[in-house]
């Protein structure tokens, strides 16, 4: 119940971030819905495809579709007020990537993958909804460009799970992983810590 | 036999629409073929991946590959005359999305999905070939922008199938669904009915 | 062992070509890694998804991830010297598509597909890593535009495998196919042989 609530909050945050991007591009109603949908469940869908868990999760559990549809309607109706939500959305998004990272890691473990692949799967779950959103909107994915600590937070926090498991019971290790992803993400933005960008040196 | 004929006509219409887009982008021969191919079978491929029906349909049934290759050759040879085909192509395309929607819905039912997910699957089958085509051509997918009643026709007509089933035998409900998708699409274009676009209100 | 070595050389060539494209786009470190990764294993991943071989290959065999990570680090450190490697990279790339084409064909045969579909699968394996790289980088895929004999080399050389099999033992037919892909590619570039581009005739 606790996890489900976080999951739904994360889904809402991702869906609304999708609506915002789609409105910037002046898409029509169908386009806005699809972008919101893809932002929220695209990462999990790619994860499910890569490990062969089909039909993919959102097809089995209607709650995602319902939540996203509700979020889209809400976001469109209150679109002139969404700026007051920016901070909450940012926070939910951080919570969302924390949870999604660990959900993906768990799925990888259940599939019998080695830790590094579980971690890749967790990062894909958390980050690739946004990547697919940006591709559909004809942008270079923002997490490849912005130098923000976003995927990096998933990798570090998610990776810590495998360390915690030496010391803690699984549930606690799981929770510690989620909290570390969230903390790294929030702290990186708070203190403006970024990744280097990489480009050819002129010579 | 009847359905197969419609299916092939739809495939041809989609493939030729792909060729037209690819020629606008001045792609080479290989690019033109791939765009035509993806336009025609991309939606069905995504559907098959999402439900785990692999190898995907076009790999099992060579008729799609053959039909598309033939359509590409035809479209390139007669490329200066294709404008005379615009109306027929539009009509075949409408027929194609009608059929593809119901094919997708049937697959969803066979997979044991609930109606709303079957409908999503039908819409994906009908519409996402064009989405993948536009992504490969580096455009924002046209069905997210144009405000046309395209995916909406699939959703309404496909959704009606679940109503018809209360009153009609399955074959008739199936056919009624197809016809309703086609009718909505044709009427929407004829009477210029569009979706609202959604964007941020300046304040 | 011999094949593995070629495979790894191909992976390195693809990964470094990904790094070069990503640096041109001024992506951050995470973006550079993902583009390199996708260039190297994207084609094989799409192949595995289409035939339902999951978890996909790179999740089962950590050597790909390790090789790509190493290539990225190497390419970034020596980024000012990479131009001296252009020729070797081009050669490895040609070797890579030769091997990947035949690997894909073999997988198709093992899946029970007919030869034309095996060939499609081989071409996808060899070429679609670059396609996904270009989509992520917001370009129209280079192999659709450049008119180069690239996919065509895979199709011709890969197709020859099914002919060689009438005359040669399987291992030799396999090797002959690889060598023909590589030869066609190298000769086409050497003698500047291109595909026609296709566009609408003004009238």
């Amino acid at each position: 119940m606790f996890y489900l609530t976080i999951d739904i909050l994360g889904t809402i945050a991702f869906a609304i971030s999708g609506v915002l991007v789609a409105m910037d591009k002046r898409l029509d109603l169908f386009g806005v819905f699809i972008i919101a949908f893809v932002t929220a469940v695209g990462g999990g869908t790619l994860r499910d495809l890569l490990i062969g868990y089909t039909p993919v999760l959102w097809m089995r559990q209607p709650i995602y579709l319902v939540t996203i549809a509700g979020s889209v309607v809400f976001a469109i109706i209150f679109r002139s007020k969404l700026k007051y939500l920016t901070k909450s959305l940012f926070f939910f998004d951080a919570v969302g990537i924390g949870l999604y990272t660990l959900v993906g890691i768990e799925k990888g473990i259940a599939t019998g993958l080695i830790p590094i692949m579980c971690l890749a799967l967790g990062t894909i779950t958390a980050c690739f909804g946004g990547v697919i959103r940006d591709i559909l909107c004809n942008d270079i994915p923002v997490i490849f460009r912005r130098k923000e600590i976003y995927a990096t937070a998933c990798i570090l926090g998610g990776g810590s799970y495998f360390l915690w498991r030496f010391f803690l019971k699984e549930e606690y290790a799981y929770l510690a992983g989620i909290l570390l992803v969230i903390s790294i993400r929030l702290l990186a933005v708070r203190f403006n810590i970024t990744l280097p960008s990489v480009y050819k040196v002129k010579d």
Side-chain angles (χ1 to χ4, degrees), chain A residues 48 52-64 107:
Chain A
D48 290 346
Y53 177 83
T54 52
V56 298
L57 189 63
W58 64 264
M59 292 204 146
R60 300 176 190 224
Q61 307 210 343
I63 185 139
Y64 293 103
K107 288 249 181 176

Side-chain angles (χ1 to χ4, degrees), chain A residues 143-157:
Chain A
I143 65 162
F144 297 172
R145 298 185 272 126
R146 277 272 184 82
K147 310 178 208 165
E148 268 182 49
I149 303 294
Y150 193 94
T152 313
C154 301
I155 295 167
L156 295 177

